[in-house]
Amino acid sequence: MFLHRRCPEASTSRNLPRRLLPIATLIITCAPGLAGSLDNQACSAERSGRPNVVLIMADDLRCELGCYGSPARTPNIDRLASHGVKFRAAFCQQALCNPSRSSLLSGLRPDTLHLWCNSLHFRELRPDVATLPEYFKRQGYVTRDVGKIFHNWHTRAKGDRQSWSAAEFLYYANHGDDRPLVSGPPPADLATAPNCRRCEVPDEAYYDGRVADEAVRVLEEIKGQPFFLAVGFWKPHAPFNAPQKYWDLYDRDRLPPLDGRRPTGAPDVAFHDSRELRGAPPHQRDFTRDQAAEMRHGYFANISYMDAQVGKVLAALERDKLTESTVIVFLSDHGYHLGEHTLWGKTSNFEFDAHVPLIIAPPGGQRAGESTDALVESLDLYPTLVELCGLPPAAGLEGKSLVPVLADPRASVQPAAFTEHPRPAYYDRTPAGVPEAMGYSVRTARVRYTEWRAWSTGKLLGRECYDHPGDPAELHNVIDSPPDPSALSQAVALLHQQFPPDVPPAKR
């Protein structure tokens, strides 16, 4: 349980923005109802008026959480949501690990970074960027990284050492190498579908179990000072190889059936060849109905496995009486397709890929357990955490602080959220090394509107409009007959304001 009691020495306003006080009364609190004196070290952040931050990231997690109405079994993340504010309309800036994470952690859009692929480290393009953890480090926080936060496995030697106060842990790895690490003979694999493994092994046999254990250890090490701890879980990213007990949580036949229909009227450029799971041409594989069902089952098992690891981190925060002095954030880098729209994996502008879970739990929050439909973007997290912790505003950020929404979930800070993606999706692996097209997408409260433009000329190649909430699965491109023409006109204007049509993507 998340506990609440005010720390006697804590000032209720020192170093905190005035409009934060209705949320946090105070952000600076300690654990209640406990006999004896409080742990002095655990209260150091409160006394300084600077809450800690724990940022928990999942990889490839679409909004499949119990608290979002999914059949996914996620009791730990659901519990966190009951103590924070759940954002129902949060969207990533690009549905690919490196661009998404680089944007989120720099507070800059992919177009500003000129980063739309996995093979470039953002420091190669913008060495001067002060990342979110680096900014906190400059403000006197201890910053630590456990697991996959930046997408650095292509650049093992570099990592992003300047963002952290100590060496990163398990930030470098390849998802395909996450095989069960056990003593003795390898366990039997009961899975039959591609990209799946189903073994009776402990949680620590895979990356995420070890990430959770290390995060708990690091918390013990740093809890006596203001800290920013980033915990990056590798799941539910493929392979779908959670330990057997998490597969056993689900009856495959009772999971939502796959609707694999391609949206009517959608241009070909909106799609991709799903090579992440199907393999690259000319050796691509198709999945049988049973294989697709097993892979979808495995994705849900991975989610529950990841949720259990999140639970270990939350339990450590509670045990050390840190929940009342810590801002806890949970989010995903982007969404995912599991056969919908004929697609597997990410790299599209559709809702399944762009929509992400986001939960922010300030300590002592008066809005605990509430939800908001405010349109927000992943890059909003940077200015939000800066303001929540009472730090000086960081210059040059492109996101908006969500503190007004945390104070009043009915509030809004922006009229739209933007996502983009190039074609080919993995253009950096082609001989040309540059995109042929870029898709720019805007999500308003009513519609998703997307323009596909030629990379070198900006010529319009195709348009899409999906009417929400009438068509939440985005199965009908109604660009030629929108149910609400005014909503489409507004979306077009917002998209053109953010991404002017007269500027070719190559020249941004």
Side-chain angles (χ1 to χ4, degrees):
M1 151 175 103
F2 282 70
L3 305 173
H4 297 272
R5 189 180 76 183
R6 193 169 300 176
C7 182
E9 296 94 343
S11 163
T12 61
S13 59
R14 187 187 317 151
N15 297 329
L16 288 176
R18 183 173 299 275
R19 62 176 172 168
L20 261 184
L21 299 181
I23 311 173
T25 22
L26 285 161
I27 252 173
I28 351 185
T29 50
C30 286
L34 299 175
S37 62
L38 296 170
D39 184 313
N40 289 333
Q41 285 188 326
C43 283
S44 65
E46 296 92 316
R47 293 195 186 105
S48 71
R50 305 168 85 186
N52 309 307
V53 174
V54 172
L55 170 61
I56 304 173
M57 289 188 66
D59 196 340
D60 283 10
L61 174 66
R62 66 192 199 182
C63 289
E64 294 287 358
L65 297 170
C67 57
Y68 279 84
S70 167
R73 299 195 177 187
T74 53
N76 297 292
I77 299 171
D78 296 349
R79 184 164 58 97
L80 176 63
S82 72
H83 294 277
V85 174
K86 178 180 65 182
F87 291 79
R88 289 189 294 235
F91 298 91
C92 70
Q93 274 45 78
Q94 186 179 328
L96 187 64
C97 291
N98 188 37
S100 174
R101 291 164 183 263
S102 297
S103 175
L104 183 157
L105 293 161
S106 69
L108 302 175
R109 297 188 184 278
D111 271 21
T112 303
L113 293 170
H114 283 202
L115 181 59
W116 309 277
C117 66
N118 272 349
S119 58
L120 276 176
H121 194 291
F122 70 94
R123 294 283 183 204
E124 298 176 50
L125 301 167
R126 292 289 298 271
D128 59 328
V129 164
T131 67
L132 172 59
E134 184 180 0
Y135 187 77
F136 271 74
K137 182 180 175 184
R138 292 179 182 180
Q139 302 300 320
Y141 277 70
V142 172
T143 60
R144 298 292 293 271
D145 170 29
V146 179
K148 183 179 177 182
I149 294 297
F150 293 101
H151 185 72
N152 285 347
W153 66 268
H154 286 289
T155 50
R156 180 178 189 179
K158 291 180 67 173
D160 196 55
R161 186 66 180 81
Q162 69 193 69
S163 288
W164 310 108
S165 302
E168 298 119 306
F169 174 86
L170 231 175
Y171 74 96
Y172 165 82
N174 189 317
H175 289 277
D177 293 334
D178 190 12
R179 300 181 180 90
L181 182 64
V182 294
S183 59
D189 180 8
L190 302 180
T192 60
N195 307 299
C196 294
R197 183 185 289 268
R198 188 172 179 174
C199 302
E200 191 77 55
V201 294
D203 289 4
E204 296 72 28
Y206 291 113
Y207 293 159
D208 278 358
R210 302 198 287 276
V211 166
D213 286 352
E214 178 67 5
V216 171
R217 188 198 70 78
V218 169
L219 274 171
E220 287 296 313
E221 181 181 316
I222 64 178
K223 66 181 181 180
Q225 51 205 312
F227 63 79
F228 182 110
L229 174 62
V231 184
F233 291 111
W234 292 75
K235 294 303 178 190
H237 192 295
F240 309 121
N241 58 356
Q244 174 71 40
K245 61 184 177 181
Y246 298 104
W247 289 77
D248 292 344
L249 293 174
Y250 300 94
D251 179 344
R252 188 178 305 172
D253 294 333
R254 305 185 78 167
L255 289 173
L258 170 60
D259 184 346
R261 288 178 292 168
R262 177 168 167 159
T264 58
D268 289 343
V269 71
F271 302 90
H272 55 81
D273 58 17
S274 302
R275 64 179 58 199
E276 180 180 3
L277 295 184
R278 294 183 58 214
H283 304 294
Q284 288 199 302
R285 57 194 172 202
D286 293 320
F287 304 129
T288 66
R289 181 177 179 178
D290 287 343
Q291 288 174 330
E294 184 170 4
M295 290 167 62
R296 288 167 63 86
H297 184 176
Y299 182 78
F300 278 85
N302 275 7
I303 292 172
S304 291
Y305 168 57
M306 180 270 299
D307 175 79
Q309 312 320 306
V310 171
K312 295 174 185 177
V313 178
L314 297 179
L317 287 166
E318 295 167 1
R319 183 179 61 246
D320 290 338
K321 309 176 184 68
L322 291 169
T323 55
E324 305 316 313
S325 58
T326 303
V327 181
I328 306 172
V329 177
F330 176 85
L331 80 164
S332 175
D333 54 356
H334 48 71
Y336 204 71
H337 275 79
L338 291 167
E340 300 88 1
H341 297 160
T342 72
L343 301 176
W344 291 89
K346 54 261 187 187
T347 71
S348 84
N349 283 323
F350 290 117
E351 190 89 351
F352 277 111
D353 281 353
H355 190 201
V356 296
L358 172 63
I359 299 165
I360 302 178
Q366 293 182 342
R367 299 295 186 175
E370 295 196 29
S371 298
T372 177
D373 290 319
L375 289 156
V376 305
E377 301 179 293
S378 296
L379 53 74
D380 295 333
L381 185 62
Y382 192 151
T384 301
L385 289 177
V386 167
E387 184 172 358
L388 275 175
C389 292
L391 304 182
L397 302 182
E398 295 182 295
K400 307 282 188 182
S401 173
L402 303 178
V403 166
V405 182
L406 292 170
D408 180 2
R410 297 166 299 178
S412 177
V413 297
Q414 54 207 356
F418 301 94
T419 302
E420 61 185 284
H421 221 293
R423 290 288 179 263
Y426 297 100
Y427 68 87
D428 53 321
R429 305 178 191 179
T430 66
V434 296
E436 297 173 5
M438 181 67 79
Y440 292 111
S441 190
V442 60
R443 179 66 157 83
T444 68
R446 178 66 190 264
V447 305
R448 173 173 297 285
Y449 172 69
T450 303
E451 288 187 3
W452 292 93
R453 304 174 188 171
W455 177 254
S456 58
T457 66
K459 178 184 177 183
L460 189 63
L461 303 176
R463 300 200 303 160
E464 300 169 78
C465 178
Y466 300 98
D467 186 60
H468 289 261
D471 181 23
E474 296 184 342
L475 291 173
H476 307 283
N477 179 12
V478 294
I479 191 64
D480 295 326
S481 55
D484 186 344
S486 64
L488 174 57
S489 296
Q490 179 199 32
V492 172
L494 288 166
L495 186 74
H496 288 181
Q497 181 181 356
Q498 183 64 48
F499 304 108
D502 55 345
V503 181
K507 296 182 180 179
R508 290 191 182 279

